[in-house]
């Protein structure tokens, strides 16, 4: 599927269909963060009554379990399905997301809900990875990052509309209501993909063993490290944004969806700007983005005690963090060689290692009694670590290029 073989309208319908699924993924991944106090109170009532901080910290494991599912599912599924037609793969992935999120709605205990969250994470990376390849093909050379950003727009729009709406519905009628809406979104995505995404071949003859060759490329590991550690800082902040609003800024619970809307607006704008900047200068966008993200998290920790400055900083955090999303995705595709399917999906494994790591470390510093602003400072440290990894990656790449020139001469 490309502009020469498909009409512009057909291409837009195909990309919109895929974006509906990414909207659902954005909801299912992030709505749990806004509803964390509600989930903890419902599934861990005894612990909630004795220690809210401990209950919130334990409920954060639902975020980590989802992220673990992404980490495991992305390379496994993407490597296995690389040979199959991509439009059929996308239908199956959307259907699986529908089923697994429905399980979250109906399962009764914390342990079983944790299993459903793990299962819901399995198709996440493959969906985004294969969808990004389709989008990049549609946009054509020189616009790959913009194509990736288009698919990711569904995720960021979910943070403007879906996550705040799901948070509001969950607060009013129970947190399971939010996941019922998520399941319906995925059902719609399944239908639209089946109707509007035309035949798109995979890589016939491509084997799992060949795809796993991506792990022999050092630059792939560096890029995954940037995503897992550097971007983990964002999740340390986002995972506990609800208690920051209510406990630190002293605002009522109804303010949480409003703050999430601001985060989503920042993410949506940042994602689109990031796709544009990455096509202009990917290296500079990545390095400056990580440095600015670290500084922003420090300011968030300092300015979160007043709801007005908190709202401003949340908007900036969303913007700066999402500039990095298409940038890291495109960098990974650049260094992966012929292993595009698994590389595109592995980006989401890396980001969800960051999700798990950030949520875990954020929970740890809260459980230690350091307060609800401590995750922001933890996030700053992770962003700095990601910046150091990126600098090392580019330094080694330049050294290798210089050595190749010397050999050639």
């Amino acid at each position: 599927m490309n502009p020469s073989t498909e009409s512009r309208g057909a291409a837009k319908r195909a990309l919109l269909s895929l974006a509906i699924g990414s909207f659902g993924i954005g909801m299912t991944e992030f709505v749990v963060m806004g509803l964390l106090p509600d989930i903890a109170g419902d599934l861990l009532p005894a612990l909630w009554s004795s220690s809210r901080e401990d209950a919130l910290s334990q409920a954060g494991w639902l975020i980590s379990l989802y992220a673990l599912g992404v980490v495991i599912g992305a390379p496994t599924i993407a490597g296995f399905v690389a040979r199959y037609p991509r439009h059929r793969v996308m239908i199956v992935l959307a259907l699986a997301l529908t089923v697994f999120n429905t399980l979250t709605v109906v399962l009764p205990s914390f342990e079983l809900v944790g299993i459903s969250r793990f299962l819901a994470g399995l198709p996440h990376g493959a969906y985004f990875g294969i969808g990004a390849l389709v989008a990049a093909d549609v946009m054509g050379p020189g616009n790959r990052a913009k194509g990736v950003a288009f698919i990711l727009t569904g995720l960021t729009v979910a943070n403007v509309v879906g996550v705040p709406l799901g948070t509001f519905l969950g607060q009013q009628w129970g947190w399971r209501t939010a996941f019922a809406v998520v399941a319906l979104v995925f059902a719609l995505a399944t239908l639209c993909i089946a109707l509007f995404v035309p035949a798109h071949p995979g890589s016939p003859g491509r084997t799992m063993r060949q795809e796993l060759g991506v792990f022999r490329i050092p630059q792939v590991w560096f890029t995954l490290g940037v995503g897992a550690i550097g971007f983990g800082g964002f999740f340390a902040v986002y995972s506990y944004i609800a208690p920051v609003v209510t406990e630190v800024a002293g605002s009522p619970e109804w303010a949480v969806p409003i703050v999430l809307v601001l985060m989503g607006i920042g993410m949506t704008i940042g994602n689109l700007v990031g796709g544009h900047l990455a096509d202009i200068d990917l290296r500079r966008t990545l390095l400056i983005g990580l440095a600015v993200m670290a500084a922003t998290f420090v300011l968030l920790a300092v300015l979160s005690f007043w709801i007005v400055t908190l709202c401003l900083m949340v908007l900036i955090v969303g913007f700066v963090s999402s500039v990095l999303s298409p940038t890291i995705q495109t960098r990974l595709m650049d260094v992966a060689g012929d292993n595009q399917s698994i590389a595109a999906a592995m980006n989401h494994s890396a980001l969800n290692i960051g999700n798990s790591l950030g949520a875990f470390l954020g929970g740890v510093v809260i459980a230690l009694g350091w307060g609800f602003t401590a995750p922001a400072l933890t996030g700053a440290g992770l962003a700095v670590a990601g910046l150091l990894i990126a600098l090392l990656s580019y330094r080694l790449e330049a050294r290798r290029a210089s050595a190749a020139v010397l050999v050639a001469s």
Side-chain angles (χ1 to χ4, degrees), residues 72-94:
I72 294 174
T76 305
I77 295 174
F80 177 75
V81 304
R83 71 184 74 177
Y84 298 109
R86 289 172 181 157
H87 65 291
R88 294 179 181 173
V89 170
M90 296 304 292
I91 293 172
V92 173
L93 293 174

Side-chain angles (χ1 to χ4, degrees), residues 113-209:
V113 169
I115 292 173
S116 76
R117 298 307 297 151
F118 171 78
L119 292 174
L122 291 175
H124 174 130
Y127 186 99
F128 272 120
I130 297 171
L133 294 176
V134 174
D137 189 30
V138 169
M139 295 299 288
N143 294 294
R144 293 177 309 134
K146 294 184 185 71
V148 172
F150 187 95
I151 295 298
L152 292 173
T153 296
L155 186 151
T156 58
V157 170
N159 284 277
V160 179
V161 180
V163 174
L165 176 61
T167 301
F168 174 77
L169 293 175
Q171 290 173 345
Q172 299 301 313
W173 292 287
W175 63 268
R176 295 179 190 273
T177 306
F179 288 96
V181 173
V182 169
L184 290 174
V185 170
F186 283 126
L188 176 62
T190 304
L191 178 62
C192 290
I193 292 170
L195 291 175
F196 300 122
V197 175
H200 196 288
S203 302
R206 191 75 178 169
T207 65
M208 171 68 88
R209 182 176 181 180

Side-chain angles (χ1 to χ4, degrees), residues 11-400:
K12 285 183 177 179
R13 286 191 294 272
L15 292 176
L16 180 60
S17 299
L18 296 173
I20 292 172
S22 67
F23 178 92
I25 289 177
M27 278 196 72
T28 195
E29 181 174 15
F30 294 121
V31 76
V32 66
M33 299 170 185
L35 291 172
L36 206 60
D38 302 85
I39 295 172
D42 181 43
L43 297 179
L44 302 166
L47 187 58
W48 178 258
S49 62
S50 62
S51 172
R52 291 193 173 191
E53 289 189 352
D54 289 345
L56 286 168
S57 179
Q58 185 170 329
W61 278 100
L62 296 179
I63 301 170
S64 298
L65 285 168
Y66 180 91
L68 180 62
V70 180
V71 172
I72 294 174
T76 305
I77 295 174
F80 177 75
V81 304
R83 71 184 74 177
Y84 298 109
R86 289 172 181 157
H87 65 291
R88 294 179 181 173
V89 170
M90 296 304 292
I91 293 172
V92 173
L93 293 174
L95 182 60
L97 286 162
T98 304
V99 172
F100 295 147
N101 279 278
T102 300
L103 290 178
T104 300
V105 178
V106 300
L107 292 176
S109 68
F110 178 81
E111 292 76 15
L112 291 176
V113 169
I115 292 173
S116 76
R117 298 307 297 151
F118 171 78
L119 292 174
L122 291 175
H124 174 130
Y127 186 99
F128 272 120
I130 297 171
L133 294 176
V134 174
D137 189 30
V138 169
M139 295 299 288
N143 294 294
R144 293 177 309 134
K146 294 184 185 71
V148 172
F150 187 95
I151 295 298
L152 292 173
T153 296
L155 186 151
T156 58
V157 170
N159 284 277
V160 179
V161 180
V163 174
L165 176 61
T167 301
F168 174 77
L169 293 175
Q171 290 173 345
Q172 299 301 313
W173 292 287
W175 63 268
R176 295 179 190 273
T177 306
F179 288 96
V181 173
V182 169
L184 290 174
V185 170
F186 283 126
L188 176 62
T190 304
L191 178 62
C192 290
I193 292 170
L195 291 175
F196 300 122
V197 175
H200 196 288
S203 302
R206 191 75 178 169
T207 65
M208 171 68 88
R209 182 176 181 180
Q210 289 172 317
E211 285 289 314
L212 291 176
V214 72
F215 295 111
R216 294 195 293 269
I217 303 173
Q219 286 296 334
V220 167
W221 285 104
F222 281 116
T223 308
L224 292 175
V226 171
I229 297 175
F231 208 77
F234 170 72
F235 292 106
V237 172
Y238 199 178
S239 298
Y240 301 97
I241 195 66
V244 170
V245 173
T246 57
E247 304 296 329
V248 178
S251 296
E253 191 177 56
W254 56 258
V256 175
I258 297 174
V259 172
L260 293 176
V261 167
L262 293 173
M263 179 76 83
I265 291 173
M267 291 176 70
T268 300
I269 299 172
N271 178 60
L272 296 174
V273 171
H276 178 73
L277 293 177
D279 279 329
I280 295 173
D281 191 330
L282 192 149
R283 180 179 184 275
R284 183 173 295 179
T285 302
L286 180 60
L287 297 179
I288 294 177
L290 286 164
V292 173
M293 186 165 72
T296 302
F297 290 156
V298 173
L299 287 174
L300 176 67
V302 174
L303 300 174
S304 60
F305 294 91
W306 188 33
I307 188 62
V308 175
T309 53
L310 173 61
C311 287
L312 175 62
M313 291 310 305
V314 162
L315 182 68
I316 296 172
V317 164
F319 174 84
V320 173
S321 300
S322 285
V323 163
L324 292 171
S325 296
T327 306
I328 296 172
Q329 177 82 73
T330 305
R331 169 67 175 170
L332 191 55
M333 293 165 65
D334 283 346
V335 301
D338 295 330
N339 311 286
Q340 291 293 299
S341 292
I342 197 167
M346 280 299 296
N347 179 53
H348 296 277
S349 282
L351 295 182
N352 278 274
I353 289 175
N355 188 338
S356 181
L357 179 66
F360 172 73
L361 293 178
V364 168
V365 295
I366 289 172
L368 288 173
W370 295 355
F372 288 111
T373 60
L377 298 176
T378 302
L382 290 172
V384 170
L387 175 61
L388 294 176
I389 295 171
L391 288 169
L392 178 60
S393 170
Y394 280 114
R395 183 175 180 83
L396 292 177
E397 187 176 63
R399 184 176 297 177
R400 183 173 181 179

